[in-house]
Amino acid sequence: MDVLPLVALVAGSAAIAGAARRTPVPAPLLLVTVGLIAAYVPGVPDYTLDPHIVLPLLLPPLLYTAAVDSSYLDLRANIRPVALLSVGYVLFATVVVGYLAYLLVSDLPLTTALVLGAVVAPPDAVAATAIARKLGLPNRITTILQGESLVNDATAITAFKVALAAAVGEGASWGGGLAEFALASLGGVGIGLVMMVPLHWLRTHLREALLQNTLSLLIPFVAYAAAEQVGASGVLAVVVVALYLGHRSWQVDFATRLQEAAVWKMVAFVLESSVFALIGLQLPFVLRGLGEYGVGEALLYAVGVFVTVVVVRYVWVYPATFLPRKLFPRIREREPDTDWRSPLIVGWAGMRGVVSLAIAFSIPLTMHDDQPFPGRNLVLFLTFTTVIGTLVVQGLTLPPLIRLLRIPGRDVQAETLAEAQAQSEASRAAEVRLDELLADESNALPQPLAARLRAVLERRRNAVWERLGTVNEVTGESADDTYRRLSGEILETERSVFVELRDRRAIDDEMMRTLLRRLDLEEASAYREDTP
């Protein structure tokens, strides 16, 4: 097996994603654009999306890391809009987009058009999370978009299976479709509920961080495979397990959390980068398969389907936002007020992604009677152009649209104030506990060490308040920033001494690594994470 193309894909995608961090363009858009160009560069190998790889091997870890980073409490508080989008909208878009595509393309069977509708219905979890993180959208909008994209894949895959069964001649009825949807949804949630507690217990009882993180990497694949094995939704099983584990991550020891955060950040970065590059690289394959359809004719259909997808989302989003508020006083009391701008952003943020392409590529070549699947190549092309259109057109125009609408972003000052108040309350409780511990003779400490414990608590409490305080007129830094910079300088001086001692053979490499790790942990404690 030639691994060089895979290495080139990962390395190239990572380099482009890294470069995108220095530009105002979100990484997914730059990756897709470069993929489109690279697809026609001589020497670039063919990268064909295999649904047997994307769905069971790439989708579970991407869903898992997005769900773990989500807030269970925020999702629960916004369950109504999330459910309306992730279930109601996907089914609505499947039918409406499919029927309008049937009217648009004269020789496209209705069953094939409904397959297309199911394929392009779900906005993508990776795209939504990446764009929302880059733009710093308000917390409620971000929660709704993330919640929708975590669950809607399950709805779309189930709708696709029902539509595909009708298209290939295996028979499908409303009753059968509802039964399959119930099995997928209830079964996926049920398996997630069954697995989440034992998995959490295992995570908290494994004593080695390496073993705990190995388990963490296996969890999304195990949950997905277990659900799919019985015909349930692997997507929902992964999301349920991940939300539970993320909500209770505080019960895992600190070493595991530190390692896990670093490992999953790397995994998500590599997979997200590769996935968006793969989308662009599909262009030659999709064009070669057009067959009887000319490029010009197919592009007209593509524009029609893209516009339909965008319009249909707004046809659902605005009534789903305001109609329940108008009809039910309890909803008005429970949920915050909103205006026309928020649903406009939610509607325009419905980017499609790799899941739609993977589902489309899983359409069989032949039907039940061994006849070619009607319109398969056109469905692939229309899916590809819809994904590219939503990512590029909506993705590029979303930031200026937010600025034009003056959508307020996250209130950094208010968040810092809340952080400072929380830290102050925790530090006061810790000081009381420290007094209780030191009053016990069995915990007697020399005065300098006891003073050091108190100084650490005071430093932690004051650090966040200092970020709200005055700024150094010379350097533009807060007191906290200056502290961390000076701390880094003196730690770097110590590092250089340890290296010099190692080079003079005063200490060996093992001792140097031990001393450096101690400094690394101290530096990590002095710095808070500022990058998303």
Side-chain angles (χ1 to χ4, degrees), residues 248-261:
R248 294 186 171 271
S249 62
W250 60 275
Q251 295 176 327
V252 180
D253 67 82
F254 78 95
T256 297
R257 283 197 301 274
L258 290 175
Q259 282 191 18
E260 191 174 65

Side-chain angles (χ1 to χ4, degrees), residues 443-501:
N443 295 323
L445 275 179
Q447 183 58 33
L449 291 180
R452 182 178 177 183
L453 284 175
R454 296 186 189 281
V456 168
L457 284 175
E458 184 178 359
R459 163 66 194 147
R460 199 150 49 224
R461 179 175 60 245
N462 293 338
V464 188
W465 290 109
E466 287 164 356
R467 295 212 307 271
L468 294 165
T470 57
V471 175
N472 187 308
E473 294 181 359
V474 178
T475 63
E477 299 172 324
S478 67
D480 185 52
D481 292 330
T482 304
Y483 172 86
R484 288 187 283 126
R485 177 171 57 82
L486 297 181
S487 175
E489 291 284 349
I490 61 176
L491 289 171
E492 191 59 37
T493 301
E494 289 188 71
R495 285 192 185 95
S496 63
V497 171
F498 291 148
V499 172
E500 181 185 352
L501 291 173

Side-chain angles (χ1 to χ4, degrees), residues 498 506-516:
F498 291 148
I507 60 175
D508 58 21
D509 280 281
E510 183 177 354
M511 182 175 292
M512 183 195 72
R513 284 190 288 267
T514 299
L515 293 168
L516 290 180

Side-chain angles (χ1 to χ4, degrees), residues 23-24 37 59 92 148 150 153 222 242 247 265 273 281 288 347 369 372 454 461 471 483 494 525:
T23 72
I37 298 171
L59 185 58
F92 177 75
E148 175 198 9
L150 288 174
D153 289 338
V222 172
H247 188 62
K265 184 169 288 189
S273 303
L281 290 166
R288 285 198 300 267
D369 56 0
R454 296 186 189 281
R461 179 175 60 245
V471 175
Y483 172 86
E494 289 188 71
S525 69

Side-chain angles (χ1 to χ4, degrees), residues 181-192:
F181 183 80
L183 173 62
S185 56
L186 297 179
V189 171
I191 288 176

Side-chain angles (χ1 to χ4, degrees), residues 513-530:
R513 284 190 288 267
T514 299
L515 293 168
L516 290 180
R517 175 172 172 76
R518 191 176 299 159
L519 292 183
D520 292 342
L521 292 172
E522 186 171 341
E523 186 170 15
S525 69
Y527 279 76
R528 63 184 180 90
E529 189 174 11
D530 292 309

Side-chain angles (χ1 to χ4, degrees), residues 80-85 88-89 140 313-326 331 335 338 343 346:
R80 183 192 65 82
V82 168
L84 285 174
L85 285 172
Y89 163 70
R140 187 165 189 265
R313 184 165 174 86
Y314 281 113
V315 171
W316 178 269
V317 166
Y318 270 98
T321 300
F322 295 109
L323 193 57
R325 294 171 182 270
K326 186 176 181 63
I331 292 179
E335 297 182 0
T338 188
V346 170

